[in-house]
Amino acid sequence: MQSLVLKLGMDEYTNLAISSFLCQMNTRVNKAVYNFILRDYEHLKMLRKAIEIILDEDIERPQISVLGKLGNNLDAKGNWDFDQESELNAYWNKVLKEKVNFGVFPHTEFGSLFIAGALASQFLFDISGRPLGSMSAGPYGILRGLGITEDKVNFYLKALKKGHLLLLVRHTFQQTQLIEEKLEKLG
């Protein structure tokens, strides 16, 4: 663990923070029981339809998050335009039918990513001035920390890298089963 962190060339405080987080995450992966649905959608239209199905259910509102890759919308300085970020935030507030947490962050392997919804605070958690999601193992560690299996995390991160949008839904076991059945019919 230490050699991996040190090779990244981070300062001692960052090394300690990441090591601590990963150690805590490791203990939670096997012990925590979460009821998550994780799906990928190549097209925004299908993702929106899936969200409509979830929100149309006559159940207590689940926690919904969307993780996606932005196109080449960065200017020459590498800065994300505030107006575009505000527009995306407003868009996801509308789609998810509530005011949601939202953020944009860079990632060396995936490019510019955005997160909207309940998990935004985890991806945007500040470690030495950088969002956790922007660190090389950030998205992987966060998803594993939610109790999602290594194989599934790797599969969905490959889809994210290809430009797919990831939908994460958290609810009770019974409700996630009902939601999964509805989503299976969608295709």
Side-chain angles (χ1 to χ4, degrees):
M1 173 73 68
Q2 241 180 1
S3 61
L4 169 70
V5 176
L6 292 174
K7 286 181 184 177
L8 296 175
M10 297 177 194
D11 63 30
E12 190 174 319
Y13 174 76
T14 304
N15 290 340
L16 181 61
I18 291 172
S19 296
S20 174
F21 173 78
L22 292 175
C23 288
Q24 290 172 0
M25 181 200 65
N26 241 1
T27 60
R28 282 187 259 149
V29 168
N30 296 323
K31 294 179 183 176
V33 178
Y34 294 97
N35 300 294
F36 274 93
I37 297 170
L38 176 58
R39 293 184 143 232
D40 72 297
Y41 294 90
E42 186 175 2
H43 302 288
L44 182 60
K45 183 178 179 179
M46 292 301 289
L47 172 65
R48 285 188 62 158
K49 184 66 178 163
I51 291 170
E52 286 174 18
I53 288 171
I54 293 167
L55 294 178
D56 283 346
E57 286 294 308
D58 191 25
I59 58 174
E60 181 182 328
R61 185 180 179 83
Q63 293 178 350
I64 301 173
S65 297
V66 177
L67 178 63
K69 184 176 173 180
L70 297 174
N72 294 325
N73 296 323
L74 297 175
D75 65 21
K77 295 179 185 172
N79 295 323
W80 178 250
D81 185 277
F82 179 76
D83 289 336
Q84 292 172 322
E85 186 172 340
S86 295
E87 288 173 20
L88 269 175
N89 189 1
Y91 174 80
W92 288 110
N93 286 336
K94 182 179 175 185
V95 170
L96 296 172
K97 299 180 181 176
E98 70 177 353
K99 183 166 174 40
V100 297
N101 292 328
F102 178 84
V104 175
F105 56 94
H107 190 277
T108 55
E109 185 177 348
F110 300 111
S112 295
L113 298 176
F114 73 87
I115 181 73
L119 293 175
S121 62
Q122 290 186 16
F123 281 86
L124 300 173
F125 183 79
D126 184 276
I127 296 181
S128 295
R130 291 181 53 202
L132 179 59
S134 71
M135 301 201 174
S136 59
Y140 175 86
I142 292 167
L143 295 175
R144 287 289 288 133
L146 297 174
I148 300 169
T149 66
E150 183 176 1
D151 290 340
K152 281 188 177 182
V153 169
N154 288 328
F155 174 83
Y156 286 107
L157 289 179
K158 285 179 186 173
L160 178 66
K161 193 172 185 177
K162 293 178 187 174
H164 292 210
L165 298 157
L166 301 186
L167 173 66
L168 295 108
V169 181
R170 181 177 185 215
H171 212 312
T172 64
F173 179 73
Q174 294 83 5
Q175 297 303 323
T176 54
Q177 286 184 318
L178 293 173
I179 292 169
E180 273 288 4
E181 289 172 15
K182 296 279 187 179
L183 293 177
E184 286 298 322
K185 292 177 185 174
L186 179 62

